[in-house]
Amino acid sequence: MQAEGYGEVSHDAPPSLNGTIEDQSNRLAALEAFVEFTEAVGTQSDVSVLAHQAIRVLRARFPDGSVVYYEPDGDLWRPRVWSEDLPAGVLSGLTPGLPRSLPAFAAVLSRQEAVFIDELDAVREQLAGSEEYGMAAKVPLMVSGEVCGILEVGIRGRDRWGEQDQGLVRAVSRSLTLALERASVTAQLEAQNAELAARTRALGAFAELTRDLNVHSDSLALVRTAQEVVLSMLPPGYAVYYELGGATWRLAAQTGDLRNPALQAVVDAGLPYEQPRNLVVPWTTGRPFYQDHYDTHTDRLYELVSHVNTTASLAVQVNDAPAGVFCVALFDRRCWTDIDKVMLETVVGALGLAIEGSHGVAQLTEQRRKLTEANEELEAFAYSVSHDLRAPVRHILSFNQLAQVTLGDRMDDRSARYLRHVEQAADRMNTLIDAILALSRTSRQPLRMVPVDLNALMTAVCAELSAVDSGRKVEWKIARLPMACGDPETLRLVLTNLASNALKYTRTRETPQIEVWSEDRSVEWAIMIRDNGVGFDPRYSNKLFGVFQRLHQQHEFEGTGVGLANVRRIVSRHGGRVWAEGAVGQGATFGFTLPKEPQAAGA
């Protein structure tokens, strides 16, 4: 389907496609499919799922056509979704990815606008089987001024692109672009929240260090506490801290087993200054040194460290000078993420400040102030996004109402249905905007940690939900729940979300049953809510607590896809975790934990 040259772009109506019964039927089928597609755009956040639906729209209009959706991968464009009719020979040529330098892609990227080709030159095609296509179209999907995807249509036979057909291709592409933009905004918000959460967790753990400054005259006690904090947030490994004595690196503090007695003996004896690059690089440059795949030649320890797969080393700065090197080694292979690096650099930076004493406390306070400012900026960003989104939604609703008034008695049932879909989609967008704001506020509002009677809280939640849904006879089985330490308002929101979820997904059951109980797990309480509802496919359980993730269609069960994300964030801020178990048609169990001892509130 790739051509090096392009024919003239036509804006005339296709003479051979007008007026036939088959063509009118194709147009009607495409219109119906497009209505369904636009509804999905308002509720679905998975771009690949929407790409499949977009392909169904275009195939309904062009039964003799093939459709491919590409996404960038480095210097290549890789097909992510394609129509089933795509010839095997063409597909095998596309699958490895196509270079950006191909004239077909270069033309789209340089123009940054749709390209419609009335006549493809088969001699210039790059892929086997492309000679069966006579017409083609390529449309770039633009997000923030960059091409983030390309939608390609190839039509068998030869004709000319008409304005209506070009309009359909462009409309489908615009809808896909909206989905990409929403995914980009959601990912940006998630990344910012995750980074802020990592910083706050690390700083919260270091609050203990700053309180102990007058107790621990030995700075190595602070180092060991920092090692424990870091290892608690990472997979199995060990942490070592070296100080330079003359021309030798001396092991000053260690947490975790090195898993090799010979390595331990070498480390205890000290290392020559020039030998270990993991120490020399951060000490001399002041920059962290990360290795996703640890090279055993780095420190010239070779087989002694063959069981180590990932390392990070950071200089501890005290009064603007290196005092030692903080190292972490992991036994399993791991690619250091931005959040990992933020956590490590925050801990090591805070360690240096803690060692400095009172001056360090002052600088730590400044970091907290900056973190608060960053949170305020993030909230302002969320409000700005919501404002920018609300304005076009208001316009859509206003013009939709004007259209209804203007048409008046001339409006047929189909037009009324289409306008009703527009209004419902706009209302849905307003609901999602409100959900984004609620999610943002939940992450930043302060927690008031006090003793909470979960039993009384659950009883109140059940009474409230039963009053709202009084027409159903629900069997509630609530065991005695414990006292816990937490924020009453946000924990009430957790129980309300989980209980209302159970009510919603048991709606199809003749006798809905909901059980609530707790389990004593040594240092924490586990609270479970089980229902006999429709359940879910356990393969997708990891998606349940993500923003805008839904495992059921909107017309089956209403919702924004934000409630469980709120639950996860609230429980995480309390120092607990969440999970879900279930099977299709066999109900679901949602659980969360709360530490028995009060925790520092997270972000």
Side-chain angles (χ1 to χ4, degrees):
M1 294 171 61
Q2 299 301 321
E4 291 188 343
Y6 288 89
E8 292 297 322
V9 176
S10 171
H11 298 286
D12 300 326
S16 64
L17 295 181
N18 288 332
T20 67
I21 295 177
E22 181 181 0
D23 182 60
Q24 294 300 323
S25 175
N26 291 343
R27 290 182 185 275
L28 181 60
L31 184 58
E32 294 288 349
F34 184 74
V35 171
E36 180 183 350
F37 171 57
T38 54
E39 292 175 350
V41 169
T43 60
Q44 177 61 249
S45 60
D46 191 328
V47 177
S48 64
V49 172
L50 291 173
H52 277 292
Q53 290 193 256
I55 287 174
R56 285 201 294 271
V57 173
L58 296 173
R59 285 279 294 156
R61 175 66 192 99
F62 310 114
D64 291 332
S66 300
V67 187
V68 181
Y69 167 67
Y70 300 88
E71 287 183 350
D73 182 8
D75 292 330
L76 298 176
W77 284 96
R78 293 191 186 277
R80 299 304 185 195
V81 184
W82 53 84
S83 54
E84 295 181 353
D85 70 298
L86 197 67
V90 174
L91 181 58
S92 63
L94 296 178
T95 303
L98 301 174
R100 290 172 175 264
S101 59
L102 277 182
F105 284 112
V108 175
L109 295 173
S110 63
R111 298 184 192 180
Q112 293 192 348
E113 62 181 20
V115 175
F116 291 89
I117 312 146
D118 289 330
E119 295 184 2
L120 284 177
D121 188 344
V123 176
R124 296 181 180 179
E125 287 293 332
Q126 299 287 317
L127 300 174
S130 60
E131 63 276 357
E132 66 181 83
Y133 297 98
M135 302 165 57
K138 290 183 179 65
V139 187
L141 309 182
M142 306 286 298
V143 176
S144 300
E146 296 185 3
V147 181
C148 294
I150 292 179
L151 190 66
E152 181 180 30
V153 183
I155 311 260
R156 295 173 178 83
R158 297 186 181 273
D159 215 307
R160 298 181 67 79
W161 283 99
E163 290 185 1
Q164 289 185 348
D165 288 340
Q166 289 186 27
L168 175 64
V169 174
R170 286 192 172 98
V172 168
S173 301
R174 281 195 295 270
S175 295
L176 273 179
T177 299
L178 287 175
L180 285 170
E181 288 175 345
R182 186 172 61 201
S184 176
V185 170
T186 300
Q188 184 179 359
L189 286 171
E190 283 288 295
Q192 290 182 357
N193 278 337
E195 181 175 330
L196 290 172
R199 286 186 182 274
T200 304
R201 284 197 303 271
L203 290 174
F206 255 84
E208 295 296 328
L209 286 181
T210 59
R211 282 197 294 270
D212 290 343
L213 282 175
N214 295 327
V215 177
H216 294 292
S217 57
D218 181 5
S219 63
L220 296 183
L222 301 176
V223 172
R224 282 187 285 272
T225 302
Q227 291 174 336
E228 292 170 0
V229 170
V230 167
L231 292 179
S232 70
M233 299 181 184
L234 294 172
Y238 59 84
V240 287
Y241 176 73
Y242 291 90
E243 292 179 345
L244 188 60
T248 303
W249 293 104
R250 300 293 181 187
L251 178 65
Q254 175 182 329
T255 299
D257 185 359
L258 273 58
R259 294 189 180 179
N260 186 331
L263 173 62
Q264 186 71 65
V266 170
V267 166
D268 289 340
L271 301 170
Y273 173 77
E274 295 290 346
Q275 177 178 333
R277 289 189 65 242
N278 255 325
L279 303 180
V280 173
V281 170
W283 179 268
T284 56
T285 66
R287 294 190 295 271
F289 184 38
Y290 296 102
Q291 288 197 74
D292 294 339
H293 308 301
Y294 174 59
D295 183 354
T296 57
H297 292 77
T298 302
D299 302 313
R300 304 180 201 175
L301 295 173
Y302 310 112
E303 71 277 359
L304 292 178
V305 288
S306 60
H307 60 300
V308 174
N309 275 291
T310 302
T311 61
S313 52
L314 304 90
V316 177
Q317 300 286 338
V318 177
N319 294 320
D320 298 324
V325 180
F326 188 104
C327 302
V328 177
L330 305 180
F331 301 125
D332 296 327
R333 183 162 293 181
R334 178 186 182 88
C335 291
W336 294 111
T337 66
D338 290 340
I339 294 175
D340 291 334
K341 294 177 181 180
V342 164
M343 182 272 293
L344 282 167
E345 291 164 27
T346 300
V347 167
V348 173
L351 173 60
L353 296 177
I355 294 174
E356 288 177 11
S358 59
H359 179 58
V361 173
Q363 292 191 29
L364 188 60
T365 302
E366 176 63 12
Q367 286 196 8
R368 289 182 180 275
R369 185 189 64 78
K370 291 180 179 179
L371 182 62
T372 300
E373 290 179 356
N375 277 332
E376 292 172 354
E377 290 175 2
L378 185 61
E379 185 171 12
F381 173 78
Y383 274 102
S384 174
V385 169
S386 71
H387 179 270
D388 292 342
L389 291 177
R390 286 191 195 281
V393 174
R394 284 196 299 269
H395 290 163
I396 291 171
L397 287 170
S398 297
F399 281 105
N400 189 66
Q401 291 173 355
L402 287 175
Q404 294 181 44
V405 172
T406 302
L407 289 173
D409 296 334
R410 292 174 297 158
M411 184 165 54
D412 57 20
D413 291 341
R414 177 176 293 174
S415 298
R417 180 161 63 90
Y418 292 165
L419 291 177
R420 189 164 60 250
H421 282 312
V422 172
E423 183 175 1
Q424 291 171 349
D427 288 338
R428 171 73 177 168
M429 187 62 180
N430 274 327
T431 301
L432 291 174
I433 292 170
D434 291 338
I436 290 176
L437 290 176
L439 188 63
S440 179
R441 293 191 195 101
T442 299
S443 298
R444 287 180 292 282
Q445 70 183 52
L447 299 181
R448 183 172 59 91
M449 306 298 280
V450 297
V452 180
D453 186 345
L454 294 178
N455 199 68
L457 205 58
M458 190 70 223
T459 301
V461 167
C462 288
E464 180 181 321
L465 294 177
S466 298
V468 173
D469 199 2
S470 57
R472 298 174 63 198
K473 185 178 180 181
V474 180
E475 291 186 9
W476 291 92
K477 299 180 181 179
I478 304 177
R480 183 75 185 176
L481 301 181
M483 293 289 295
C485 184
D487 177 69
E489 294 303 318
T490 55
L491 288 180
R492 182 188 183 96
L493 185 58
V494 168
L495 294 175
T496 300
N497 267 311
L498 295 179
S500 60
N501 225 41
L503 282 173
K504 177 168 61 177
Y505 291 108
T506 56
R507 186 180 302 154
T508 59
R509 297 298 187 252
E510 183 177 346
T511 306
Q513 296 177 347
I514 301 174
E515 300 178 59
V516 184
W517 75 97
S518 65
E519 294 178 1
D520 186 341
R521 298 184 176 178
S522 182
V523 298
E524 63 186 9
W525 290 108
I527 313 299
M528 264 78 74
I529 298 180
R530 179 166 58 206
D531 64 66
N532 65 337
V534 298
F536 59 86
D537 189 334
R539 292 178 299 173
Y540 306 114
S541 60
N542 62 317
K543 292 187 174 184
L544 283 171
F545 296 96
V547 180
F548 297 133
Q549 295 292 338
R550 293 172 52 82
L551 303 187
H552 300 277
Q553 294 295 323
Q554 180 69 21
H555 67 271
E556 296 176 312
F557 298 98
E558 73 285 352
T560 62
V562 171
L564 291 179
N566 250 337
V567 167
R568 178 178 61 82
R569 292 193 178 183
I570 292 170
V571 172
S572 178
R573 294 187 68 193
H574 280 76
R577 62 188 189 283
V578 296
W579 69 91
E581 300 172 352
V584 176
Q586 299 180 34
T589 300
F590 286 82
F592 66 94
T593 63
L594 292 174
K596 291 184 178 180
E597 295 296 325
Q599 301 286 306

